[in-house]
Amino acid sequence: MLLCAAGPAYVIVRSRSGEISTVDYMAGYGLSIVAAVAGAGMATRQADDPFRYELFA
């Protein structure tokens, strides 16, 4: 979740130096999308098979 905040933080840091280009927006929010997809992949990896441990059987 914290990694998803890196994209908007990148945009804010770039805006402090002056005007922001479209490339800066795309890089910042693209970073957020990649982080969200990676986080979703890690979450599905953790919750793979509840019957493996027979807790719910």
Side-chain angles (χ1 to χ4, degrees), residues 7 10-30:
Y10 175 80
V11 173
I12 291 170
V13 167
R14 295 292 291 191
S15 71
R16 296 187 85 175
S17 64
E19 193 172 325
I20 305 174
S21 68
T22 307
V23 176
D24 292 332
Y25 278 116
M26 288 189 295
Y29 291 118

Side-chain angles (χ1 to χ4, degrees), residues 15-52:
S15 71
R16 296 187 85 175
S17 64
E19 193 172 325
I20 305 174
S21 68
T22 307
V23 176
D24 292 332
Y25 278 116
M26 288 189 295
Y29 291 118
L31 180 63
S32 290
I33 292 170
V34 169
V37 170
M42 286 184 236
T44 57
R45 176 93 172 116
Q46 290 176 354
D48 55 351
D49 186 15
F51 295 107
R52 179 191 308 181

